[in-house]
Amino acid sequence: MFEKRNVQRSPINWKLDTQSKLDLEQSKDCLYFLEQESNEHQQQSLLDIVYFIYDNVINDLIIKKNKNQINNRDILKTNIFNNNNSNNNDYNNINSDNILKEYVQIEKNLILWCSLDNIKENAYCFYRLNNNNKNNNNNNNNNNNNNNNNNNNNNNNNNNNNNNNNNNNNNNKNYENLEYIILIVGPTQAQSSKSSGEIAKSFSSAISYSSVQYQLHQARNKQEVIESFTTFLNNIENDNDNEYDGNIIPMNSNYKEKNESLQPLESVSNGSDHENYYNNNFITDNGNHSLNDGIVSGVINESTNDNNNSNNNNNNNNDSLIFNKEDSKFKNFLNGYKYLIKDIKYRYDYEVYLSDWKDGLKDWKSFQKTLSTTVFLFFAILLPSIAFGVLNSSNTEGLLGVSKTIVAQGVGGMVFALLSGQPMVILLSTAPLAIFIKITYSISIENGLDFYSLYSMIGLFNGFFLMIYSISGASRLMKYSSRFIEETFAIFITIAFLYDGIKPIVILFIDNLYDCDNNCQLTNQIPVFTLLISLCTLWICFKLSNFNQTKYFNRVFRELISDYALFLGVLLSSAIRWTIFLPLDYEHFPHGLDDLLNTEIKSLPAWGYLLALALGFLLSLLYFVDQNISCSLATTPSHNLKKWSGVHLDLLVVAFINIVLSLLGLPWLHGALPHSSLHVRALATIESFTNPSTRETKEIFISVQETRASGFFSHLLIFICIFLVSNVLIYIPIPVLYGVFFFLGVKATVGNQFWYRLLLLITDNTSLPNSTIIRYCRQCEIYKFTTFQIICLLIFCFISFYPNPYLTIFFPLFLTILIPIKNYLLPRYFKKSIINILDHH
């Protein structure tokens, strides 16, 4: 067997895995080379060899670091060998699965590893056996004996055959067929990505290459062993033709010539399609390859004349081919309406549209999932709608209140669920829209304009621009967006949620503790209890949402509690408020139904229409980016959605919805974070998978129940709530709504890599997880990339929350500017490999 192991090892991407390269580079400082010098050592068992390495290498390191430490080589035996071996002979049989706890054997190389508490640095111990020299000497002696004893050939041959059989049996039982015993020893408290097991993984992958095996076979000292791995690393950096991106399937046992190129026999594909690149090659419209070097499908033309003719023809056509590509791109941009037609064709197909409803109601399990998701969405949308209604009412002095927000949410959500291209997306009056509404009101008051008139005209121009974006297929430009922009905006939404929840509590503390004059003793408990109820709501909702990860009750009950976490959290928090905090006198949020719809639009001055046009354009940028990002995060490849995602159709539907809402004086709606992603998660079947090598736990979306039913019925219930505002919903305390803001903000950070990297900034180096980004990127690169993203986020927050409305009005523009910042500034400061790892899903 060429390769034998009793541990599972994930493949190494040598092009990207920085940590594995560092493991091999450290061999210059911590590699130790030992070699058998006499035949006496050949009688040693494997345990004796491990003891020999300990006495000559590891013990010296321990003494050098801590002279008071007691040397105990039996610790090494306990960590490497099983305890069920009765005598020394048992330690020879390395083919037995019972002797070694963990090992990897590749050809003639046995790799062992362990961690010790009393060692502070790594040690790579290469112990070379002289079995090959012994075998060569035996062969020479046998040949000489055969030449000198011609009369006894038959007897000698028989004896030799018997001896050879016995030797073969012995070799199968012990380590004499090995060339190297490699022992990796490291400190116990090293971070998981730098543990001795991970270092052994790096060496085992490198030794899987035949060129490394050949150089180790030729090595006779420490420097030559180090040189074999140095050459391997240099070839990885310089060899652009090979892909080191999969699990290496080793070569046959025969060593290749020394001048052979470094490449494995076969690589396991990572699932992506690899393209073949040629120099000066072009692909014509009919798909035929035009190659300057005379290579067609890997066959080299022998005729130099043919090559020259091919070169001349291609050089003459290069300019026309490039022009045709540029012209084709321009035509495709002008023909963007075809993408909208394609969305309509696929999403409004009778069978597809029917399946959008049937998939959510086809059996009891599907119905139960749809029902729980409907209830979840009902509370996840209704409570923020009430909270944003309270916020809009405060910002507009009651012109846009809770009742209008509920009507807009219910009607707009039902229309979008019926007609959208991607029903997984959820529309909501979000924090950025609340900021824009506040700015609109401030500008109208300062310039003496009617708020409803200015508001309606901004909404009309916004809808007009959105229709242009939809018909022209402008959503294709979002291909220049990436994880950097999406997750920066997602964290901004989290900050906006927390800001909207914390700001009124801070105002309560100021009004009741600092500016209360002589009434402080009567009102000083209000802000404290408000904060307690808000945090209580956050804690209950968060704990219940993760209840499916506990061990209490059975799986069905745990999932039921988790699905209805927000509803139960609000119910329990409201009960706590009306029982424990009963003496507190809270104001109910404004809930009047008077002037529910406003259809009176007054004329504006000429400059007022120009102002509305400019504000409508800025608002359309916010809609364009936010709607596309919401759809992108909801349909990310990890969610494993199967149906067509009609982003162009979504923009058109959102445009019509907001035009109607603007004319009726109702709050605007667009795609919301994190509700869209949470909608997908609620309809998904998810399993957790733990990588045995990195010990990193990941969630895998097995399937998603893609249906319009959950979105439609949840918004239908929300619309019905307009009749319950004055009777039922007013009993939801305002502090509980602040807690809902906190919960939605905290929940949005789950699965966000930007947030994950923010936590790495304050994580102890010895506790860093053995994740992909830790192994593939240096820590300084991760910190620098995260710092760059933090700067963009801080600028975004400063523009959005600055009290001057004439500066805040440009926050949608900055959100759009993040796209060129990502595409032009990031490549200047970071390598392409770093960007590919940190900026892609």
Side-chain angles (χ1 to χ4, degrees):
M1 178 181 291
F2 180 84
E3 180 176 3
K4 183 176 180 179
R5 59 181 65 190
N6 68 342
V7 292
Q8 295 295 326
R9 293 289 167 193
S10 58
I12 290 179
N13 188 328
W14 283 105
K15 287 292 186 182
L16 301 175
D17 198 330
T18 305
Q19 186 59 52
S20 293
K21 295 177 184 178
L22 290 175
D23 293 339
L24 299 189
E25 290 176 357
Q26 288 180 357
S27 61
K28 300 176 182 179
D29 302 322
C30 56
L31 189 143
Y32 300 88
F33 181 82
L34 303 171
E35 187 175 12
Q36 284 186 340
E37 297 178 354
S38 64
N39 291 334
E40 294 179 359
H41 288 154
Q42 296 177 22
Q43 306 301 322
Q44 293 177 323
S45 67
L46 186 59
L47 177 61
D48 294 332
I49 294 177
V50 171
Y51 280 164
F52 179 79
I53 296 174
Y54 179 88
D55 294 335
N56 288 273
V57 176
I58 302 173
N59 189 43
D60 293 338
L61 294 177
I62 296 174
I63 294 175
K64 182 169 57 178
K65 289 296 180 181
N66 188 353
K67 294 183 178 180
N68 296 325
Q69 184 64 251
I70 299 175
N71 298 330
N72 188 1
R73 60 182 185 177
D74 289 337
I75 298 177
L76 203 65
K77 173 185 175 182
T78 304
N79 291 337
I80 295 177
F81 297 95
N82 288 316
N83 297 325
N84 55 356
N85 301 305
S86 59
N87 54 62
N88 247 16
N89 294 330
D90 292 339
Y91 291 104
N92 289 335
N93 191 5
I94 62 172
N95 292 326
S96 173
D97 290 334
N98 296 323
I99 178 176
L100 297 171
K101 289 184 176 180
E102 292 182 323
Y103 70 94
V104 175
Q105 181 182 350
I106 301 175
E107 274 289 341
K108 299 182 178 181
N109 305 280
L110 177 64
I111 303 176
L112 308 173
W113 61 92
C114 74
S115 299
L116 297 177
D117 293 329
N118 50 4
I119 192 172
K120 301 299 181 181
E121 61 185 28
N122 295 322
Y124 309 160
C125 307
F126 280 67
Y127 186 84
R128 181 181 178 88
L129 303 169
N130 58 4
N131 294 326
N132 292 330
N133 295 333
K134 183 190 77 169
N135 292 335
N136 292 334
N137 292 333
N138 289 339
N139 291 333
N140 291 331
N141 291 333
N142 288 334
N143 289 334
N144 292 331
N145 290 333
N146 289 331
N147 290 331
N148 294 331
N149 300 311
N150 292 327
N151 295 328
N152 299 322
N153 282 336
N154 294 331
N155 294 332
N156 288 335
N157 287 334
N158 292 332
N159 292 332
N160 287 334
N161 290 333
N162 293 331
N163 292 332
N164 289 333
N165 291 332
N166 293 330
N167 289 333
N168 290 333
N169 292 332
N170 291 330
N171 287 336
N172 290 332
K173 290 168 53 179
N174 55 41
Y175 61 85
E176 291 186 359
N177 61 335
L178 296 177
E179 188 172 8
Y180 279 96
I181 295 177
I182 303 170
L183 177 60
I184 309 295
V185 181
T188 303
Q189 296 183 350
Q191 67 183 63
S192 56
S193 61
K194 299 179 181 179
S195 64
S196 58
E198 292 299 321
I199 297 174
K201 169 189 170 182
S202 302
F203 275 99
S204 63
S205 178
I207 295 175
S208 298
Y209 287 87
S210 58
S211 60
V212 178
Q213 295 179 27
Y214 176 81
Q215 291 188 336
L216 287 177
H217 176 68
Q218 299 294 327
R220 289 298 181 269
N221 54 54
K222 171 182 176 179
Q223 189 58 38
E224 291 179 357
V225 173
I226 295 175
E227 186 65 25
S228 63
F229 296 108
T230 303
T231 304
F232 172 75
L233 294 175
N234 292 335
N235 287 333
I236 289 175
E237 297 296 333
N238 300 327
D239 195 342
N240 296 323
D241 297 331
N242 295 322
E243 292 287 341
Y244 302 91
D245 59 351
N247 182 26
I248 305 306
I249 299 179
M251 302 287 291
N252 292 328
S253 58
N254 297 327
Y255 290 106
K256 298 296 181 181
E257 295 298 330
K258 188 174 182 179
N259 59 358
E260 185 182 13
S261 173
L262 172 67
Q263 54 180 323
L265 175 64
E266 184 179 356
S267 294
V268 179
S269 174
N270 59 1
S272 59
D273 295 331
H274 299 287
E275 298 179 355
N276 295 322
Y277 294 92
Y278 302 92
N279 293 327
N280 300 324
N281 296 345
F282 295 93
I283 300 177
T284 58
D285 292 337
N286 59 6
N288 296 327
H289 291 267
S290 176
L291 308 179
N292 292 339
D293 54 1
I295 300 177
V296 180
S297 300
V299 180
I300 302 178
N301 297 333
E302 297 179 358
S303 174
T304 57
N305 292 331
D306 293 340
N307 292 336
N308 293 332
N309 292 334
S310 177
N311 291 334
N312 293 332
N313 292 333
N314 287 315
N315 289 331
N316 292 332
N317 293 328
N318 284 349
D319 295 336
S320 61
L321 287 170
I322 295 175
F323 177 78
N324 289 335
K325 286 185 176 182
E326 297 291 338
D327 186 57
S328 176
K329 291 181 179 179
F330 182 71
K331 289 181 178 179
N332 287 337
F333 185 79
L334 292 180
N335 295 331
Y337 68 91
K338 294 182 179 179
Y339 293 90
L340 176 60
I341 294 176
K342 186 181 293 185
D343 286 350
I344 296 174
K345 176 182 177 182
Y346 279 95
R347 292 305 309 195
Y348 290 168
D349 178 79
Y350 176 77
E351 294 183 358
V352 175
Y353 191 81
L354 185 62
S355 70
D356 288 343
W357 294 93
K358 291 175 60 177
D359 289 348
L361 307 169
K362 59 184 177 181
D363 53 36
W364 171 250
K365 184 177 180 181
S366 301
F367 174 77
Q368 189 179 22
K369 177 69 75 172
T370 301
L371 179 62
S372 63
T373 304
T374 300
V375 175
F376 166 76
L377 286 179
F378 171 69
F379 287 98
I381 297 172
L382 176 64
L383 297 174
S385 297
I386 296 174
F388 282 120
V390 173
L391 183 62
N392 290 334
S393 179
S394 175
N395 292 336
T396 61
E397 297 183 1
L399 296 180
L400 294 178
V402 174
S403 300
K404 289 188 175 185
T405 305
I406 292 177
V407 172
Q409 185 66 57
V411 176
M414 284 191 290
V415 173
F416 187 80
L418 290 171
L419 303 177
S420 64
Q422 180 48 265
M424 295 292 101
V425 176
I426 297 297
L427 300 188
L428 194 67
S429 183
T430 61
L433 287 180
I435 295 173
F436 208 94
I437 291 173
K438 179 181 179 181
I439 295 169
T440 303
Y441 181 77
S442 300
I443 293 176
S444 67
I445 295 300
E446 291 181 7
N447 294 278
L449 301 176
D450 179 65
F451 170 72
Y452 281 123
S453 301
L454 181 61
Y455 180 84
S456 300
M457 294 309 301
I458 293 174
L460 287 175
F461 285 121
N462 171 54
F464 173 73
F465 285 116
L466 289 179
M467 285 190 287
I468 294 177
Y469 301 155
S470 175
I471 295 173
S472 63
S475 292
R476 291 173 292 162
L477 296 176
M478 291 303 293
K479 68 182 180 181
Y480 297 108
S481 179
S482 64
R483 190 170 193 166
F484 176 88
I485 299 172
E486 295 169 359
E487 295 190 340
T488 301
F489 184 70
I491 294 296
F492 167 76
I493 296 298
T494 294
I495 294 175
F497 274 124
L498 298 178
Y499 177 83
D500 292 331
I502 293 174
K503 181 181 177 180
I505 297 177
V506 173
I507 293 175
L508 278 177
F509 272 97
I510 294 175
D511 293 342
N512 292 278
L513 295 181
Y514 295 98
D515 298 335
C516 56
D517 297 330
N518 297 325
N519 298 323
C520 288
Q521 293 183 353
L522 300 177
T523 59
N524 57 6
Q525 76 276 14
I526 293 178
V528 176
F529 288 150
T530 300
L531 178 61
L532 288 177
I533 295 174
S534 302
L535 295 179
C536 180
T537 305
L538 168 64
W539 184 82
I540 294 175
C541 291
F542 192 80
K543 284 295 184 180
L544 293 179
S545 66
N546 295 327
F547 195 78
N548 58 345
Q549 301 177 7
T550 64
K551 299 179 180 180
Y552 303 113
F553 305 105
N554 55 33
R555 182 179 61 85
V556 176
F557 187 79
R558 291 197 301 267
E559 292 181 353
L560 187 66
I561 295 295
S562 180
D563 290 339
Y564 295 93
L566 189 58
F567 164 69
L568 295 175
V570 171
L571 188 64
L572 291 175
S573 300
S574 299
I576 292 173
R577 180 261 175 269
W578 292 111
T579 54
I580 299 177
F581 300 100
L582 185 59
L584 295 179
D585 184 17
Y586 288 100
E587 291 184 355
H588 297 299
F589 56 79
H591 53 276
L593 299 178
D594 298 334
D595 194 23
L596 189 59
L597 302 178
N598 183 80
T599 57
E600 181 182 358
I601 301 177
K602 300 178 181 179
S603 61
L604 298 173
W607 63 268
Y609 289 102
L610 293 178
L611 177 63
L613 176 64
L615 294 178
F617 173 71
L618 292 174
L619 182 61
S620 69
L621 294 180
L622 174 63
Y623 267 76
F624 176 75
V625 177
D626 202 347
Q627 183 70 35
N628 281 282
I629 288 179
S630 298
C631 184
S632 176
L633 293 180
T635 60
T636 184
S638 62
H639 287 171
N640 197 24
L641 299 182
K642 303 299 182 183
K643 294 184 180 180
W644 184 270
S645 181
V647 291
H648 310 283
L649 177 59
D650 281 349
L651 276 181
L652 185 63
V653 174
V654 169
F656 283 118
I657 290 174
N658 281 275
I659 287 175
V660 175
L661 294 178
S662 300
L663 294 175
L664 297 178
L666 298 175
W668 296 315
L669 305 173
H670 64 49
L673 293 173
H675 295 73
S676 300
S677 299
L678 294 177
H679 185 201
V680 177
R681 176 178 288 271
L683 289 171
T685 301
I686 304 174
E687 291 185 3
S688 297
F689 169 76
T690 301
N691 190 320
S693 176
T694 64
R695 297 179 182 177
E696 184 180 9
T697 301
K698 294 183 179 180
E699 290 183 340
I700 298 178
F701 284 69
I702 305 301
S703 63
V704 178
Q705 188 174 292
E706 301 179 55
T707 178
R708 297 179 185 268
S710 55
F712 178 81
F713 289 120
S714 60
H715 284 92
L716 178 61
L717 294 175
I718 292 172
F719 179 75
I720 296 174
C721 285
I722 190 63
F723 305 106
L724 304 176
V725 171
S726 58
N727 299 321
V728 179
L729 297 183
I730 59 171
Y731 292 103
I732 298 177
I734 292 180
V736 173
L737 299 179
Y738 300 153
V740 172
F741 274 143
F742 294 157
F743 170 70
L744 294 177
V746 172
K747 199 67 176 177
T749 62
V750 177
N752 190 305
Q753 191 204 77
F754 182 24
W755 177 254
Y756 173 77
R757 285 186 277 109
L758 286 174
L759 295 180
L760 290 181
L761 293 176
I762 57 175
T763 302
D764 184 15
N765 288 336
T766 60
S767 302
L768 290 175
N770 189 23
S771 59
T772 301
I773 64 173
I774 295 296
R775 295 196 61 86
Y776 287 6
C777 305
R778 297 179 185 270
Q779 286 180 238
C780 61
E781 295 289 344
I782 298 174
Y783 296 158
K784 187 166 70 172
F785 189 91
T786 306
T787 303
F788 186 87
Q789 200 166 359
I790 291 174
I791 294 173
C792 293
L793 177 64
L794 292 178
I795 296 174
F796 194 18
C797 292
F798 174 78
I799 295 175
S800 301
F801 300 123
Y802 192 75
N804 188 340
Y806 294 99
L807 175 63
T808 307
I809 198 69
F810 290 102
F811 82 90
L813 184 61
F814 181 77
L815 178 60
T816 309
I817 293 176
L818 281 179
I819 296 178
I821 288 177
K822 175 262 171 185
N823 287 281
Y824 294 103
L825 285 185
L826 280 183
R828 291 189 177 186
Y829 298 101
F830 300 96
K831 295 180 181 179
K832 184 178 179 181
S833 60
I834 301 297
I835 296 176
N836 289 337
I837 296 168
L838 299 179
D839 194 33
H840 287 76
H841 290 284

